[in-house]
Amino acid sequence: MKYLYTLTVILVILNGEVVYAQNQQDRNATDTRDISGAIFGKTMENGQEVEYPTYGANVCLLSPKDSSIIKFTTSDDKGNFLIKTVATGDYLLSFSGLGYNKHFIAITKASFRKKSIEVGRIQLEESPIELSGVTITANSPQVVVKGDTLEYNPAAFRVQESSVVEELLKRLPGVVVDPDGKITVAGKVISKVYVDGKEFFGNDPKMATKHLTVNMIEKVQVIEKKSDLAQRTGIDDGERENVINLTIKKDMKKGWFGNLIAGTGAPVKDLDVQKKLYTANGMANRFRNNDQLSLLVHSNNIDGGGSSGANSRNTVGVNASKEVSSKLKLNGNIRYGYSERFSSGNSFRQNLLIDSVSYQRNMNWNQGYSHNFGFDTRAEYKPDSLNMLYFSGRLSRNTSNSHSVTSQSTMAGDADSSRVNASNADTYNLSSGWVLGLELTWSRQFAKKGRRMNFMASTNWNTNTTNGMNLSVNEFFLQPDRNMRLNQDANIGTHNNSYRFNASYIEPIGEGNSLQFTYNLQYNTTLNIRETYDYDQETGEYSLLNPDYSKSLDNNFATQNIGLSFNATRKKYSYSAGVTIVPSYTQSTNFIKNGRMDGADSVLNRIAGRNVVNYAPRANFRYQIDDNTNLNFNYHGNTRQPSVSELDPTPDNTNPLHIRTGNPDLLPAFSNGISFGLNRYQREKQRSFVVNGGFSFTLNEIISITEYEAETGIQHTRPLNENGSWSGSTNILCNLPLDKAKKLQLSVQSMVSYNNRIGYTVVDKRSERNTSGTAGVSGNIGLNYNKDWFFGQCRGGINYSNTVNSLEGKQGLESFHYSVTYNTQLQLPHNWVFNTDINYMASRGLSAGYNKDEVLWNLSVNKQFMKKKQASIILQWNDILQQRKNIFRNVTANYIEDSEQDLLTSYLMLTFSYRFNTMGRNAGQ
């Protein structure tokens, strides 16, 4: 605990210093003016000189005495810039940008006689200097806060240019990338990654983060975004998602550019064995104005760096976006992927009971392959200024084949850990499926400003078939008469169809006010047919229908959303408030197909139609405190319908040691979420400060209750509705320079959270309600130092959690996770680049054998060559000390489970990388 106390004190002090610094405002003279203008460049197109606005150009207001920066801004997408509240005096205006010569304008006291200072249109001349060997790092801010957007500057983190974007994200303050590539920023999961505001190969973030390279990225923007439907129609439906937008460097938009990467290597432990590792990646891009075209070919067998084990992945695809005219925009992609996967691992679970203790040990081995084909298309048509039509369609085809072997055993809590049961299973599955989705939206504005009407209709069809074989042996050591052997063939067909209709209307009321009406109808049908046959030794065929393993379900669900809200917008603030009525209807039938002798279906259970009504209030408030600071607050409610398996009342015996049963009386769960955020950024001082937090609670939460058979150890799990679950968290992120030259930067992140969970545990052979509360405190401190030839980053963090239970005598849990990371890049003479990173990670409080102490040391040496350094040979050694582990912990109200997954660890890789660019002298950039 002393470590936690020390870290907490440090975080409080640092955060206090940052808050104090944020509140120290420069006092301007009372006589101030705004300075504005526009920046443009010129290029040759079809033999003619064409002007274009210069986006992202740096505009600095300098002191003429020492050239120190007084104020700073950048130009917008139209080339315009604005510097507010400049005190009367003499200044220099500096204009610069990557690939352009600097330009200066003198501002004198005489200029302040006017009400505002307009410097007109400034043309930046393209630089004749070769930029391929120049790295601009001076005064480059790490993080910029723009409203609800966090904007990271990749140049401030000096990641190797041939590295993929995922490697850059791992260095950004507040960003966490887990072994499977899932991204979280300040605790919020990233759902999509866009490129210049457009979808890139559909909704899979990894298509961008694992294939685009750092050299093409200008900015990394983290945005809390409204739903796609809300953005198209202007009707706020309360839905929010956190996305990343990668902006492409402007000098990359004048021709074709891309990368060719090829490498080979071997695991360090198997250097004498004929086991080869390889990677090959080719990408060609053409981004011009608002048009995009990307071609991708990717293949490797080193994707086993995550929890999924050792994999080989192969992908080919085309992504395109075209602005056909001012009225028509098209976007789409087509892709094919083939993957082979292998993984093995083990887990240990401790069941947290009052009057008894039991343990479970599990080992698994999995192997398989899959083929995936996908096609997405989108079209936006604006025939005039008042109407907009949007259409999207997607089609995908998936096939997979898998083979898994599992071994599971349950031990009692006595001194000898006596075995209660054991299971060994060998299963094969062959699956295939189709997905088709269509959407059509019409949005209509009226002559009266602010009046708007929208209609949307969509449908999704999803069908999947699975054929599987199950060979298993299940032993019960205290009741041998219940031992069983299974030799089965199963056929499963699933059909999910959904239909949705949405209508909305906005009516302006006075200046800056409006009423918003919404109606949404959604209807889902699910048909799950399962037929399982036992092996008949007499005929040698799988012909004996087993009713215990042949449960089918037909489910129908309908829900409506009827909403009304009031919206107001003022100069300094805006707010909205409303309520949505959510009636829903559920009906389902459980049966065995051909379960009767005459071939008719046997109906096991039929749930008559049931109606439930929920009410979802919604509120949002946003206040612009000043030019640098904004505050926002949001509340929303959501309904979650029980899944088909949660409603199915018949036992699922797929795993004989863990039998699951649904609950047909389940009600939909209703979650309430409250969030707030405070963002502040002083651009000229490069100080950013972000606070966000949230609180949520759920009514009729769907939880699981598990009971154990004492003599056999069999678990019986079923869902039920409970109230009392809630959670809250607060996250603070701040960045500031520690030196005058702004080369040494400090980043601090801290988070406090509490989760209150409801569960059930066995007491005297009965399930008793238990409330478990988990308090968590985490902190991360980072230092970056950036010079022309040197970059160094050191980060340290701690994560502490403590769980207590309401049931007397039920064991609590306390655990620590520590991490210290250092990475550096050296630009050496003769175009050599040296990169290394060292990561120390430790865990305490886990099960015996699962506490982790590991030091991961990675090293790479890069030799750049060719005239413009566009080619590199890279020697990379991952996990030099061979200490990498893959350990996870899962804590619930009923058990603690620690697991470990085998994966690819230490390996050597020699890679050739070539960056091509058809833009003449800018090649290699």
Side-chain angles (χ1 to χ4, degrees):
M1 289 295 294
K2 64 180 181 180
Y3 301 108
L4 175 64
Y5 175 77
T6 303
L7 178 66
T8 303
V9 171
I10 293 173
L11 290 173
V12 171
I13 292 174
L14 287 172
N15 285 335
E17 290 293 330
V18 173
V19 173
Y20 176 78
Q22 298 292 329
N23 291 326
Q24 302 307 303
Q25 300 293 310
D26 294 333
R27 297 185 177 274
N28 295 326
T30 57
D31 190 13
T32 62
R33 297 290 185 268
D34 294 345
I35 301 176
S36 61
I39 307 173
F40 69 97
K42 290 185 178 181
T43 187
M44 297 298 295
E45 290 187 8
N46 300 322
Q48 296 182 345
E49 194 174 57
V50 178
E51 292 186 359
Y52 61 90
T54 302
Y55 168 74
N58 300 318
V59 184
C60 299
L61 187 69
L62 307 177
S63 167
K65 297 180 180 180
D66 56 8
S67 296
S68 61
I69 298 177
I70 298 171
K71 286 182 176 290
F72 177 84
T73 190
T74 58
S75 56
D76 61 20
D77 57 354
K78 295 181 180 179
N80 299 321
F81 70 90
L82 175 66
I83 300 179
K84 292 186 175 182
T85 60
V86 178
T88 301
D90 294 324
Y91 302 98
L92 278 179
L93 263 184
S94 168
F95 305 88
S96 62
L98 187 63
Y100 298 95
N101 287 326
K102 277 193 173 183
H103 186 84
F104 295 92
I105 290 181
I107 304 293
T108 65
K109 290 182 181 179
S111 304
F112 288 80
R113 296 171 183 171
K114 303 177 181 178
K115 293 184 179 180
S116 62
I117 302 173
E118 170 62 52
V119 299
R121 289 166 50 79
I122 307 298
Q123 179 184 349
L124 292 185
E125 299 286 347
E126 293 189 4
S127 172
I129 301 174
E130 297 289 353
L131 294 177
S132 57
V134 178
T135 302
I136 300 174
T137 60
N139 296 331
S140 54
Q142 288 188 12
V143 185
V144 177
V145 181
K146 295 181 177 179
D148 295 333
T149 299
L150 283 177
E151 187 175 270
Y152 294 92
N153 179 15
F157 299 93
R158 297 287 289 279
V159 179
Q160 194 165 288
E161 289 192 332
S162 60
S163 299
V164 295
V165 170
E166 184 178 88
E167 296 303 314
L168 168 65
L169 297 178
K170 293 176 181 178
R171 292 192 182 184
L172 304 183
V175 179
V176 177
V177 182
D178 75 2
D180 284 329
K182 184 179 77 172
I183 308 165
T184 56
V185 180
K188 299 178 180 179
V189 177
I190 298 299
S191 59
K192 295 179 183 178
V193 174
Y194 293 88
V195 176
D196 272 350
K198 299 179 176 64
E199 288 192 3
F200 189 77
F201 284 102
N203 296 330
D204 184 1
K206 299 177 188 177
M207 291 297 291
T209 60
K210 288 184 175 292
H211 297 115
L212 297 179
T213 50
V214 173
N215 66 295
M216 63 187 288
I217 305 302
E218 177 74 19
K219 301 291 182 184
V220 177
Q221 298 172 326
V222 179
I223 306 167
E224 186 178 56
K225 171 181 166 294
K226 293 181 180 179
S227 70
D228 292 338
L229 182 63
Q231 288 193 315
R232 288 193 295 269
T233 63
I235 303 289
D236 190 355
D237 55 10
E239 298 293 330
R240 297 291 188 273
E241 60 180 343
N242 296 282
V243 304
I244 284 178
N245 181 47
L246 305 173
T247 66
I248 305 300
K249 293 178 180 177
K250 289 299 177 181
D251 62 337
M252 291 286 187
K253 298 186 176 183
K254 302 176 184 177
W256 285 93
F257 69 95
N259 303 271
L260 297 174
I261 300 173
T264 184
V268 170
K269 293 182 180 180
D270 299 327
L271 285 177
D272 297 329
V273 183
Q274 298 299 315
K275 182 176 182 180
K276 301 294 184 182
L277 302 177
Y278 65 89
T279 183
N281 186 40
M283 173 169 276
N285 305 276
R286 181 175 173 85
F287 292 174
R288 187 173 183 85
N289 298 325
N290 292 318
D291 297 342
Q292 298 181 3
L293 178 62
S294 295
L295 312 176
L296 169 68
V297 178
H298 177 78
S299 178
N300 74 60
N301 66 347
I302 58 174
D303 271 357
S307 61
S308 55
N311 296 327
S312 65
R313 300 184 186 275
N314 306 273
T315 304
V316 59
V318 179
N319 185 84
S321 180
K322 176 68 176 177
E323 190 169 302
V324 179
S325 66
S326 59
K327 296 182 178 181
L328 179 61
K329 298 178 182 178
L330 302 176
N331 179 268
N333 67 82
I334 185 170
R335 60 201 180 277
Y336 166 76
Y338 170 75
S339 65
E340 295 181 356
R341 59 192 179 279
F342 170 79
S343 65
S344 62
N346 59 79
S347 64
F348 183 81
R349 176 184 293 191
Q350 179 183 2
N351 297 306
L352 303 175
L353 311 178
I354 297 294
D355 53 354
S356 62
V357 178
S358 66
Y359 305 95
Q360 289 180 359
R361 191 174 298 279
N362 181 285
M363 291 181 288
N364 62 83
W365 176 94
N366 300 278
Q367 188 173 27
Y369 68 83
S370 64
H371 296 268
N372 302 280
F373 167 81
F375 171 73
D376 295 274
T377 183
R378 288 165 293 278
E380 183 178 301
Y381 178 59
K382 293 183 177 180
D384 51 51
S385 61
L386 300 179
N387 292 277
M388 187 275 291
L389 285 171
Y390 173 85
F391 170 80
S392 70
R394 63 188 182 100
L395 175 69
S396 65
R397 167 69 172 171
N398 307 284
T399 62
S400 64
N401 190 316
S402 65
H403 177 204
S404 63
V405 178
T406 59
S407 177
Q408 178 181 317
S409 60
T410 303
M411 292 80 68
D414 55 19
D416 298 328
S417 295
S418 302
R419 298 181 75 189
V420 178
N421 62 46
S423 173
N424 293 281
D426 196 345
T427 60
Y428 299 82
N429 285 293
L430 179 62
S431 300
S432 62
W434 289 91
V435 175
L436 174 64
L438 302 170
E439 178 187 331
L440 180 63
T441 300
W442 173 45
S443 179
R444 163 75 179 182
Q445 299 184 60
F446 293 86
K448 183 177 180 179
K449 183 179 179 181
R451 181 179 291 169
R452 191 166 187 165
M453 181 173 60
N454 307 279
F455 296 96
M456 187 275 290
S458 67
T459 182
N460 285 278
W461 296 293
N462 187 332
T463 180
N464 187 81
T465 59
T466 300
N467 177 259
M469 293 188 64
N470 174 31
L471 304 173
S472 63
V473 177
N474 304 280
E475 299 177 271
F476 303 94
F477 299 103
L478 301 180
Q479 291 188 356
D481 58 311
R482 295 185 62 174
N483 292 350
M484 68 177 71
R485 290 178 176 270
L486 298 176
N487 184 358
Q488 299 176 328
D489 179 85
N491 295 287
I492 306 170
T494 302
H495 307 276
N496 295 313
N497 300 324
S498 67
Y499 309 88
R500 184 181 177 188
F501 172 77
N502 181 284
S504 55
Y505 178 76
I506 296 178
E507 178 62 31
I509 303 175
E511 185 66 27
N513 303 321
S514 65
L515 277 178
Q516 176 177 305
F517 304 88
T518 59
Y519 176 77
N520 177 278
L521 171 64
Q522 185 167 340
Y523 179 66
N524 298 334
T525 65
T526 300
L527 179 62
N528 183 275
I529 303 294
R530 184 184 184 98
E531 297 176 278
T532 303
Y533 296 90
D534 291 329
Y535 182 75
D536 188 342
Q537 294 185 348
E538 294 184 1
T539 63
E541 296 179 352
Y542 292 93
S543 57
L544 303 175
L545 181 68
N546 188 324
D548 291 333
Y549 292 82
S550 300
K551 308 296 171 50
S552 300
L553 185 69
D554 185 4
N555 179 261
N556 298 276
F557 171 70
T559 184
Q560 301 177 77
N561 288 264
I562 307 163
L564 173 65
S565 65
F566 176 79
N567 308 289
T569 301
R570 301 294 183 267
K571 183 177 181 180
K572 298 282 289 186
Y573 64 90
S574 63
Y575 66 89
S576 65
V579 64
T580 301
I581 304 173
V582 189
S584 61
Y585 170 86
T586 304
Q587 184 276 328
S588 62
T589 302
N590 183 269
F591 62 97
I592 299 175
K593 185 178 179 180
N594 299 323
R596 296 178 182 174
M597 295 300 295
D598 58 1
D601 298 339
S602 298
V603 176
L604 302 178
N605 186 70
R606 178 176 282 117
I607 303 173
R610 185 178 68 239
N611 293 289
V612 177
V613 178
N614 279 304
Y615 298 88
R618 180 166 60 87
N620 177 269
F621 176 78
R622 179 181 174 87
Y623 182 66
Q624 190 72 34
I625 299 174
D626 55 39
D627 290 343
N628 302 318
T629 313
N630 68 78
L631 174 70
N632 61 78
F633 170 88
N634 186 64
Y635 165 80
H636 65 276
N638 288 309
T639 296
R640 184 179 88 79
Q641 171 67 15
S643 67
V644 173
S645 59
E646 289 170 332
L647 292 169
D648 186 352
T650 57
D652 179 359
N653 302 320
T654 306
N655 181 352
L657 301 185
H658 193 175
I659 300 173
R660 300 179 181 273
T661 305
N663 180 357
D665 295 323
L666 283 178
L667 300 175
F670 189 81
S671 61
N672 302 266
I674 301 170
S675 63
F676 67 89
L678 173 67
N679 299 327
R680 178 167 176 77
Y681 180 63
Q682 293 173 284
R683 189 174 191 106
E684 61 275 12
K685 296 183 179 180
Q686 295 185 15
R687 292 173 175 170
S688 61
F689 181 70
V690 178
V691 180
N692 58 61
F695 176 81
S696 65
F697 63 97
T698 304
L699 303 176
N700 295 322
E701 183 187 21
I702 301 173
I703 68 169
S704 294
I705 175 173
T706 300
E707 298 176 327
Y708 300 84
E709 293 185 15
E711 296 298 319
T712 64
I714 295 176
Q715 301 178 51
H716 293 269
T717 299
R718 60 184 175 87
L720 75 163
N721 292 113
E722 268 290 356
N723 293 314
S725 292
W726 57 270
S727 64
S729 65
T730 299
N731 186 82
I732 299 174
L733 174 66
C734 53
N735 289 267
L736 70 159
L738 297 181
D739 64 326
K740 187 175 181 180
K742 299 181 177 63
K743 294 182 181 295
L744 181 62
Q745 306 244 358
L746 170 71
S747 65
V748 179
Q749 183 186 15
S750 60
M751 185 169 69
V752 178
S753 64
Y754 189 87
N755 292 296
N756 197 73
R757 293 187 295 264
I758 305 299
Y760 282 80
T761 191
V762 176
V763 181
D764 296 329
K765 300 182 180 180
R766 295 184 307 171
S767 287
E768 297 288 343
R769 191 176 190 267
N770 174 61
T771 301
S772 64
T774 300
V777 179
S778 65
N780 188 290
I781 301 175
L783 282 173
N784 282 26
Y785 185 72
N786 202 344
K787 287 190 67 175
D788 293 341
W789 61 275
F790 173 83
F791 172 83
Q793 181 187 65
C794 183
R795 298 169 72 173
I798 183 173
N799 189 317
Y800 167 78
S801 67
N802 187 22
T803 301
V804 295
N805 299 286
S806 62
L807 280 177
E808 185 178 354
K810 185 168 183 178
Q811 179 184 354
L813 172 67
E814 185 179 52
S815 65
F816 290 86
H817 298 272
Y818 310 92
S819 66
V820 178
T821 300
Y822 177 75
N823 58 73
T824 191
Q825 181 183 100
L826 303 178
Q827 297 277 353
L828 302 177
H830 306 294
N831 299 326
W832 287 90
V833 181
F834 174 86
N835 288 273
T836 188
D837 60 85
I838 301 175
N839 305 274
Y840 168 73
M841 289 172 283
S843 300
R844 297 293 182 268
L846 307 187
S847 305
Y850 288 89
N851 284 311
K852 177 169 61 175
D853 275 289
E854 62 183 29
V855 179
L856 303 182
W857 180 18
N858 304 317
L859 173 69
S860 71
V861 179
N862 179 354
K863 170 61 176 176
Q864 299 174 334
F865 59 97
M866 298 184 70
K867 182 179 179 180
K868 299 170 183 176
K869 303 179 187 177
Q870 66 265 43
S872 301
I873 292 180
I874 306 167
L875 178 62
Q876 179 182 358
W877 188 354
N878 274 34
D879 191 12
I880 295 174
L881 304 179
Q882 303 181 30
Q883 291 191 15
R884 185 173 190 177
K885 302 175 184 177
N886 211 14
I887 293 176
F888 304 91
R889 161 156 285 198
N890 184 26
V891 180
T892 72
N894 299 321
Y895 64 82
I896 306 168
E897 184 175 60
D898 298 314
S899 61
E900 181 177 14
Q901 202 79 9
D902 291 338
L903 50 87
L904 178 64
T905 57
S906 182
Y907 66 89
L908 282 166
M909 181 71 69
L910 183 65
T911 303
F912 170 78
S913 172
Y914 177 74
R915 292 180 287 118
F916 64 88
N917 195 316
T918 63
M919 294 175 279
R921 63 178 182 274
N922 290 324
Q925 287 299 305

